[in-house]
Amino acid sequence: MASAETGGVMILAPVSGWFGPLAEAPDPVFAEGMMGAGGLVDPIAGELRAPCDGVILTVPGSLHAVTLRGGNGAEILLHVGIETVALQGRGFTAHVSEGDKVSAGDLLLSFDLDILADHATSLQTPVVVANQDEGYSLSQMAAPGPVNVGDPLFTVMRSAAPRQAQPAAAAGSSVNDDVLVLLANGIHARPAARLADLAKQFEARGWLVRAGKRGNVRSPVALMTLGIGHGDMVGIETTGADAGALMSALKQAIEAGLGEITVPLRSAGSDMDEARGTRPDAIALDGTSMIAGVSAAPGLVIGPVKGFEDQAADIAEMGQGVGIERAALSEATAQVSATIGDRLERAKGQEAEILRAHLVLLDDETLTEQAMALVGEGKSAAFAWHSAIQRQVKALKALDDALLVERADDLSDLESQVIAAIAGGRSDGAASCHGAIIVAEELYPSQFLVLAEAGAAGICLTGGGATSHVAILAAEKGIPALVAADRGALTIPDGTPVILSCDTGMMHVAPRPDILAETEQGIARRQSNMAKAAVNAAEPAMTQDGHRIEVFANLGGGQGARDAVANGAEGCGLLRTEFLYMSRATPPGEDEQAAAYQAIADDLDGRPLVIRTLDIGGDKPASFVRFPKEDNPALGLRGVRLTLRRRDLLETQLRAILRVKSANPIQIMLPMVTSIDEVAAVREVLRSLEAGAGASRSLPLGIMVETPASAVTARALAPHVDFFSIGTNDLTQYALAMDRGNPQLAAQVDSFHPAVLNLIAMTAEAGAAHGKWVGVCGSMASHPLAAPVLAGMGVTELSATIRSVPVIKAVLRSVTMEDCRALAGTALEMESADAVRAHILSVWPHLRDWM
């Protein structure tokens, strides 16, 4: 007999877009109804609005979802995109908090569609009734098609009696235990739904307990309200006839990861922290001292040293009264938020993304609640904020994940800004930094931005890394930056003149006046020549005796393709596809990859496009691949070695590439090849996929020559490949057995070393003998001195950085191929990299003007 239904609530479209059935969700938890019944909206605008009147139940720290309770008790989950929890708030802004009352149409979240499109599995936004089994049913479901915000999607009705009442706790024992949560993104919607589905298979009742709050394991929303994150120790309580069995099942499921990525904990602290406690030896100021480091942003600049040390305010533990301290903390966070917001309005690119992340972190309720709780105990605002931040910093730094450690650095940056605001402002000495070379152990992004605005000429850090936020910002703003430099740099007195050469990874301390003058003249000539080269960027690179060398650009994402073409690039010689895979919990799907590659091909307007298959491992880990512990990651499971083991990754990427339409056939390049067997294995997979796709012709398949093995056996490899592209960065470090990320060896990891040049020459000869083109896509292709030498060895294509394309073309136009070949032959017989450079400049002294 049908039950009477009461209390219908109409659910309105929370976003504008295309409405479709929930079964089409690219996530089985949603598609199979484990989270509840409902539908999907594929959004075309970045605003999420309330689908009905109600009360906000949950807004997770990652800001990717909102749950609200409607007037009839229905709990409506709005989940923006799929796999968006991994963004950890990036691209999202919340406009409501838990407990807020909202009306239909109120703004709940705003989000950046571009960021989500680049990083999420899908933008499709599930709208589901999360507590459907409490007696709710859906009716009047809208037909698939376009919807606008506020259009009816479906009606939620509640039966007079629930269709499936929650069972009372059965007689039996109670069992309590604890479990460590290692899910990378904590217990969010998907794992919560899986836990709830598991719990419903038992008669016993269960709860998870965190920070004094209990959540019914049968309710995904209740679990989500606990805010369980990675590294949390969570209590499990069960009671009933099969309480022990439920306890065991819940604990095993959580420890196994509930189908999510898990990340192990590690002990806090590092050898680097201990090393930083040692006192560096003073640097001699006699003109002979050179500071080595790792180049994070290229360039050559002269300036006086300006030491920078964060002037941390003294922090008193006890406050002057709860009211005073709460007001001080609120005013300080508001002031910092306004400062970041003002800068964000002017920012673009990576700077804007970093600032958005800082705003999200500053708005984190956990931090605010923890700090305010300490203020309530009588602590000062500064002490409370410091303690709340450091609690999170220690947790993040305990994780074996470089990306999360960077997020800890962002938190430390916010700690510094807010405490400075509490103390009445921080003086960074920016006014005296114009034209100076800033030397410091570390810089926070906020500090770097202040110094950049003040006109700092360059940066030299003894800490940091080439992928840190400060390094990214420096490269984007064109400020030369050296990181991981010798700690002796910290002893250089303010005002000491230095030459910062981030092209070579060196800083010359207190150089003689004649060297300073010569360098200043060289900088002026370089700037003049670069301006002239830009004017002729679109012209081909034709030597004076009529030999054409193609000059392509290296790309690491979609945004650079148009800039490359504008700078005269004749195509893309290396598309690093890792930009699609990094900073996410799951790999990109075929559709996402195909769309990204197609967009780049379109921007290249038919010019050649060489796509390198996924090259993770070594210094480029990914959270969705479990890498074994390796003593030498650079020599371990990476590149084609990994993708041949993970055929799912390889096949998905190849299928996506096969879908790209271009006037020139897309060319596929394999990284880290050392044997014919590897090429043959990938070729077999590619041919199978091409046959399945009905392809009329096979795509060219080439390899990166970045191991001595592939260079030495190039003649054997040549019949099995369609082209060679030489990656001089890795080839150099492997040939010389020197880690290119080690600052103590940075100056010696030199691609001009005759050993490296001979490996390049062997590859070029093998390619020519078998009619296969040979290119260079490593950093050597962007070096003005290297271009003629590489051309003389038989290299026919150079793939350079976008900024370098006009310069490389201009250099090649200034020489003859006859001279290039003669010089290359001599260079192969020389004894050192310095001798090779000196010989090049003796033959072509005008190339000094490009350095």
Side-chain angles (χ1 to χ4, degrees):
M1 186 175 77
S3 60
E5 293 186 318
T6 61
V9 172
M10 181 173 288
I11 302 302
L12 309 177
V15 291
S16 297
W18 184 273
F19 180 65
L22 193 61
E24 294 181 356
D27 185 323
V29 167
F30 288 107
E32 296 170 11
M34 293 173 61
M35 198 70 212
L40 288 173
V41 183
D42 199 347
I44 58 174
E47 290 187 344
L48 184 78
R49 295 186 176 272
C52 61
D53 297 346
V55 177
I56 302 299
L57 296 180
T58 67
V59 182
S62 50
L63 306 181
H64 71 293
V66 174
T67 308
L68 73 160
R69 180 180 288 121
N72 64 351
E75 295 173 353
I76 311 300
L77 170 65
L78 312 172
H79 195 284
V80 182
I82 304 298
E83 299 295 354
T84 46
V85 64
L87 289 171
Q88 291 298 306
R90 181 182 172 199
F92 288 95
T93 302
H95 300 281
V96 292
S97 301
E98 293 174 7
D100 287 353
K101 292 182 179 181
V102 296
S103 300
D106 285 352
L107 181 60
L108 306 180
L109 298 176
S110 53
F111 49 94
D112 190 317
L113 281 173
D114 290 336
I115 292 177
L116 268 62
D118 285 342
H119 296 88
T121 299
S122 170
L123 292 176
Q124 290 176 305
T125 296
V127 182
V128 300
V129 182
N131 61 337
Q132 183 189 5
D133 60 359
E134 294 180 11
Y136 293 94
S137 62
L138 278 62
S139 63
Q140 300 176 328
M141 184 70 69
V147 294
N148 293 315
V149 169
D151 287 351
L153 297 183
F154 52 82
T155 299
V156 183
M157 306 294 294
R158 182 165 191 176
S159 305
R163 290 177 297 164
Q164 182 181 358
Q166 296 284 0
S173 61
S174 295
V175 182
N176 297 337
D177 203 348
D178 295 323
V179 63
L180 179 64
V181 176
L182 295 179
L183 285 70
N185 296 305
I187 297 182
H188 55 97
R190 183 170 50 229
R194 288 182 172 136
L195 269 183
D197 193 56
L198 172 65
K200 291 170 186 175
Q201 301 173 28
F202 297 82
E203 293 183 11
R205 303 293 300 279
W207 298 265
L208 296 189
V209 183
R210 176 184 175 274
K213 294 176 62 178
R214 299 167 84 236
N216 185 343
V217 293
R218 294 171 182 251
S219 167
V221 173
L223 296 181
M224 290 161 60
T225 62
L226 298 179
I228 297 171
H230 179 277
D232 285 346
M233 185 65 74
V234 176
I236 307 177
E237 299 176 359
T238 59
T239 183
D242 53 356
L246 175 59
M247 167 65 70
S248 177
L250 293 174
K251 187 169 184 179
Q252 288 180 19
I254 294 172
E255 289 177 339
L258 292 164
E260 302 289 300
I261 299 296
T262 58
V263 179
L265 292 176
R266 67 175 185 180
S267 59
S270 68
D271 295 338
M272 181 61 75
D273 294 329
E274 296 178 8
R276 287 175 180 170
T278 62
R279 185 181 183 89
D281 294 331
I283 291 294
L285 304 179
D286 57 3
T288 63
S289 297
M290 305 290 285
I291 299 288
V294 175
S295 178
L300 174 67
V301 67
I302 298 172
V305 161
K306 172 64 177 177
F308 181 93
E309 186 173 353
D310 189 23
Q311 301 298 316
D314 292 332
I315 298 177
E317 180 174 352
M318 303 310 295
Q320 301 177 33
V322 173
I324 293 174
E325 299 298 334
R326 279 183 175 163
L329 182 55
S330 296
E331 290 172 6
T333 53
Q335 177 184 329
V336 172
S337 179
T339 299
I340 296 173
D342 289 344
R343 183 169 278 128
L344 182 57
E345 290 182 0
R346 307 188 302 272
K348 59 182 179 179
Q350 293 287 342
E351 179 183 354
E353 291 191 21
I354 292 169
L355 291 172
R356 287 192 193 100
H358 282 196
L359 276 181
V360 170
L361 291 172
L362 189 61
D363 212 23
D364 189 291
E365 290 184 358
T366 300
L367 290 174
T368 305
E369 289 172 0
Q370 290 176 354
M372 286 300 185
L374 288 169
V375 168
E377 296 173 8
K379 306 299 184 182
S380 72
F383 182 87
W385 183 252
H386 165 77
S387 300
I389 289 281
Q390 287 305 309
R391 184 181 303 177
Q392 300 300 321
V393 166
K394 289 178 181 177
L396 290 174
K397 287 192 173 181
L399 306 181
D400 196 9
D401 187 316
L403 296 174
L404 294 180
V405 171
E406 283 188 6
R407 182 54 55 88
D409 292 340
D410 289 334
L411 284 171
S412 296
D413 189 348
L414 290 173
E415 176 190 353
S416 176
Q417 293 181 68
V418 171
I419 289 177
I422 292 171
R426 173 181 65 196
S427 174
D428 290 320
S432 59
C433 290
H434 183 79
I437 309 299
I438 306 302
V439 175
E441 186 169 340
E442 296 277 8
L443 283 178
Y444 293 133
S446 66
Q447 294 168 338
F448 170 82
L449 291 172
V450 170
L451 295 169
E453 289 176 358
I459 304 291
C460 176
L461 303 180
T462 61
T467 60
S468 69
H469 278 169
V470 167
I472 291 169
L473 289 171
E476 189 169 75
K477 290 185 173 296
I479 296 178
L482 205 63
V483 298
D486 187 313
R487 296 188 72 245
L490 299 174
T491 70
I492 302 172
D494 281 4
T496 303
V498 294
I499 299 172
L500 182 66
S501 176
C502 296
D503 298 330
T504 61
M506 301 295 293
M507 184 167 74
H508 190 171
V509 181
R512 299 194 316 267
D514 59 323
I515 295 177
L516 275 176
E518 182 181 343
T519 305
E520 288 171 349
Q521 293 170 7
I523 292 173
R525 288 194 301 269
R526 174 193 280 195
Q527 292 172 344
S528 174
N529 283 334
M530 290 181 70
K532 293 176 184 176
V535 173
N536 299 311
E539 298 299 319
M542 191 81 70
T543 64
Q544 292 182 354
D545 49 355
H547 290 266
R548 170 89 177 271
I549 305 295
E550 292 182 306
V551 182
F552 289 4
N554 295 334
L555 300 177
Q559 293 114 344
R562 293 183 183 180
D563 289 340
V565 172
N567 274 267
E570 299 170 82
C572 170
L574 167 62
L575 175 62
R576 302 182 181 96
T577 58
E578 294 75 48
F579 77 96
L580 285 168
Y581 292 80
M582 307 308 286
S583 304
R584 59 190 300 162
T586 59
E590 179 184 332
D591 289 346
E592 179 184 354
Q593 292 191 58
Y597 304 149
Q598 186 64 61
I600 293 169
D602 291 344
D603 285 343
L604 289 172
D605 196 21
R607 294 171 178 83
L609 171 58
V610 179
I611 300 178
R612 183 178 69 186
T613 57
L614 179 61
D615 185 18
I616 57 173
D619 61 343
K620 292 176 287 189
S623 59
F624 53 83
V625 175
R626 286 184 175 273
F627 290 96
K629 178 176 174 55
E630 297 177 311
D631 291 335
N632 296 295
L635 306 179
L637 193 62
R638 56 174 298 194
V640 73
R641 302 169 187 172
L642 172 68
T643 52
L644 282 174
R645 293 195 182 197
R646 285 289 305 270
R647 294 294 181 97
D648 57 320
L649 296 175
L650 177 63
E651 292 181 7
T652 298
Q653 185 167 37
L654 292 178
R655 280 196 299 269
I657 294 171
L658 287 171
R659 290 167 56 181
V660 180
K661 304 292 190 298
S662 176
N664 270 292
I666 303 301
Q667 301 179 70
I668 302 171
M669 182 160 63
L670 307 178
M672 288 301 293
V673 168
T674 58
S675 71
I676 295 171
D677 290 344
E678 292 165 334
V679 179
V682 176
R683 178 85 71 180
E684 181 180 355
V685 173
L686 179 60
R687 285 175 174 166
S688 174
L689 295 176
E690 287 172 333
S696 59
R697 55 181 176 174
S698 185
L699 295 185
L701 180 67
I703 67 168
M704 281 192 77
V705 176
E706 50 191 334
T707 66
S710 56
V712 171
T713 61
R715 282 189 177 271
L717 283 163
H720 303 274
V721 303
D722 296 306
F723 63 89
F724 292 121
S725 187
I726 302 168
T728 54
N729 299 0
D730 273 329
L731 182 62
T732 302
Q733 79 165 344
Y734 293 139
L736 302 182
M738 293 181 182
D739 181 358
R740 59 191 174 97
N742 186 332
Q744 297 183 37
L745 299 174
Q748 300 173 60
V749 185
D750 195 330
S751 297
F752 285 85
H753 193 292
V756 180
L757 297 181
N758 275 276
L759 291 172
I760 295 171
M762 293 173 68
T763 305
E765 290 169 6
H770 290 83
K772 307 297 171 68
W773 68 264
V774 178
V776 172
C777 60
S779 61
M780 199 176 186
S782 303
H783 200 299
L785 289 191
V789 181
L790 295 172
M793 290 178 179
V795 171
T796 58
E797 179 259 2
L798 298 173
S799 193
T801 63
I802 293 173
R803 291 178 58 200
S804 300
V805 168
V807 170
I808 296 304
K809 283 186 163 186
V811 167
L812 289 169
R813 293 190 203 107
S814 72
V815 297
T816 66
M817 183 59 71
E818 182 180 359
D819 287 343
C820 290
R821 289 170 179 157
L823 187 143
T826 303
L828 295 175
E829 303 297 326
M830 305 195 84
E831 71 278 7
S832 69
D834 287 342
V836 171
R837 280 192 176 84
H839 182 60
I840 294 171
L841 289 172
S842 70
V843 175
W844 296 305
H846 72 281
L847 294 186
R848 291 183 186 276
D849 296 344
W850 294 103
M851 296 175 58

